[in-house]
Amino acid sequence: MALSKLFVDTGLLRSNPDFRRVLIARAISLLGLGLLAVAVPLQVYDLTGSSLQVGVAVACDGVGMFLGLLLGGLLADRRDRRTLILAARGLCGLGFLGLAANAAMPSPSLAAIYALSFWDGFFGAIGVNALLAAMPHLVGRANLMQARALGMLTMRFATILSPALGGLLIAAAGAGWAYLATAIATGLSVATLIGLPSMAPEHGETDNPLRLMAEALAFLAGHRVIPGVVALGCLTTLATGIRVLFPALVESVYGGGAVAAGLLYSAVPVGATLGAALSGWATGLRRPGLTMGLVCMAAFACVAAMGAVGSLFVALPALVLFGYATAIASLLEYSMVQGHTPDGMQGRVNSLWAAQDVIGDGVGTVGLGFLAALTGPAAGILLFGLTALGLCAAVTAAAGTMRRAPLADPTLTDPMLAEGAGP
């Protein structure tokens, strides 16, 4: 294989101005959101001295995000997606300005922080869902994996850089300026996205929200490819919860103190970044579903190895490989879900898919923490890894149609081609 084939294809950045707008806007937005992710916990802890209150603020954002995903799925299948993206980002910006104004008060309101965290999670999820549903319009089904990989790289670099910038800004000027910078970044991202074309979805026969969601659930239940793909993705999402065991593993198994813990937390993002950058080989797969099953099994084997061998020198490369494998699995899951979903259902299917991703991470962290409390961290992570490996092998073996399916359903109309657009 030529070395160039290993790397993600950057041709979309040169040939597709709409995708360039999205990627630039996404990078600006993520830089701003990174400041927010530091400012809210620090301000809440400064006001209350309570980690529980910090958790409540984060939970408000998560609840808002979950509800926003569900409503956003319905809206994205009934309203112009460009309008939804711009409106949702604008409303988020108002929430950030509200946080800045609250921080400038002599006695900032904790209730306002909770409410605005919910507000921003809710409208942020609506915008993200609309953008997910719009991607086949913007790049075409054949280019979804390249678009996702480039988006992942942008996200990784932004989330590495922005928290450090947030800490410096808060130390120098306070949380209020971090909120204001987030609002400015949001405004810049909206200005960048104004040039996107209109992206109206294909309409069905009903506008009843319950019937719309029931229609999407029936579509998923009867599909012969997507359920297997999502089941594998759900297992990998649960596995991301292994990070809650890193402190206990360092204390009781690996040793090395805070330095070792920091290395463990860094290893997965390093692997995931490599997965996004070195994903070019996956775009031409004839059996992406089979490959997804195999890379998921490799990821769970890495998890099991961490529990079976009590060595930091084994755990670190295992976590890098885990991060790489889960990144490739995520790219394949995204491409196959998008590629096998009709345009008129993109919003709802993406909302259900993203919601299970949010829930899966929470369930994984709590479940692994409970398992480690019963068995010890090493035995817990070994048991989880082996169980997930077995379930993954069973799903892959049972889902024959998924194993043989292409990245995209050739019988579905490509929204980009249907609109006469070109890259």
Side-chain angles (χ1 to χ4, degrees):
M1 181 186 294
L3 186 61
S4 61
K5 295 293 185 182
L6 289 174
F7 291 92
V8 60
D9 184 0
T10 59
L12 279 174
L13 290 174
R14 297 187 298 273
S15 63
N16 192 319
D18 290 330
F19 179 69
R20 275 201 306 274
R21 288 190 187 95
V22 168
L23 207 64
I24 292 170
R26 185 69 174 149
I28 295 171
S29 179
L30 286 169
L31 285 171
L33 291 174
L35 306 180
L36 185 77
V38 176
V40 169
L42 287 181
Q43 187 189 20
V44 171
Y45 192 81
D46 184 57
L47 290 172
T48 66
S50 168
S51 296
L52 175 60
Q53 299 292 349
V54 174
V56 172
V58 174
C60 287
D61 179 81
V63 172
M65 182 180 298
F66 179 77
L67 295 176
L69 284 171
L70 296 181
L71 177 60
L74 296 171
L75 292 174
D77 285 343
R78 284 295 176 273
R79 300 289 182 268
D80 180 76
R81 289 157 183 171
R82 173 185 179 274
T83 302
L84 283 174
I85 292 167
L86 295 176
R89 293 306 302 153
L91 289 167
C92 281
L94 293 178
F96 302 144
L97 288 174
L99 286 168
N102 182 60
M105 295 175 65
S107 299
S109 167
L110 189 62
I113 297 174
Y114 291 160
L116 290 169
S117 293
F118 176 89
W119 171 283
D120 289 322
F122 181 78
F123 287 109
I126 290 177
V128 167
N129 193 279
L131 184 58
L132 283 172
M135 288 310 293
H137 284 260
L138 296 173
V139 303
R141 294 183 190 273
N143 297 315
L144 285 170
M145 185 178 293
Q146 295 98 308
R148 181 70 165 182
L150 290 168
M152 286 175 64
L153 277 175
T154 302
M155 180 183 70
R156 289 292 173 187
F157 287 125
T159 52
I160 288 170
L161 179 62
S162 58
L165 293 176
L168 292 173
L169 181 58
I170 293 166
W177 286 98
Y179 296 139
L180 184 59
T182 303
I184 293 171
T186 301
L188 291 173
S189 71
V190 171
T192 305
L193 293 171
I194 285 176
L196 290 178
S198 175
M199 292 171 283
E202 299 174 358
H203 280 276
E205 297 179 357
T206 179
D207 283 323
N208 183 291
L210 294 178
R211 289 182 180 177
L212 286 171
M213 195 56 71
E215 185 179 68
L217 291 171
F219 166 77
L220 289 174
H223 205 280
R224 301 185 67 188
V225 174
I226 296 177
V229 171
V230 173
L232 293 176
C234 187
L235 285 172
T236 57
T237 301
L238 291 173
T240 61
I242 61 174
R243 66 186 184 277
V244 302
L245 301 185
F246 291 169
L249 286 167
V250 167
E251 180 182 3
S252 62
V253 181
Y254 301 147
V259 173
L263 290 173
L264 290 175
Y265 280 108
S266 298
V268 176
V270 167
T273 303
L274 290 173
L278 303 177
S279 61
W281 60 272
T283 58
L285 290 171
R286 295 182 62 185
R287 294 191 173 186
L290 175 61
T291 303
M292 183 180 176
L294 293 175
V295 296
C296 287
M297 283 187 266
F300 302 136
C302 291
V303 172
M306 290 178 60
V309 182
S311 167
L312 184 66
F313 297 103
V314 172
L316 289 175
L319 284 173
V320 172
L321 289 173
F322 172 82
Y324 180 86
T326 53
I328 296 297
S330 177
L331 284 171
L332 292 171
E333 180 186 15
Y334 169 82
S335 301
M336 294 188 75
V337 170
Q338 295 277 69
H340 288 264
T341 301
D343 180 63
M345 285 193 179
Q346 284 283 348
R348 285 164 288 168
V349 170
N350 277 309
S351 72
L352 293 170
W353 170 55
Q356 70 84 23
D357 206 38
V358 171
I359 294 171
D361 182 68
V363 171
T365 54
V366 173
L368 277 161
F370 181 72
L371 183 62
L374 293 177
T375 65
I381 203 168
L382 173 61
L383 179 59
F384 173 82
L386 292 176
T387 302
L389 179 59
L391 289 173
C392 181
V395 170
T396 305
T401 304
M402 180 203 74
R403 294 198 311 271
R404 297 185 294 271
L407 276 174
D409 185 346
T411 66
L412 292 178
T413 302
D414 192 320
M416 185 181 193
L417 299 178
E419 293 169 1

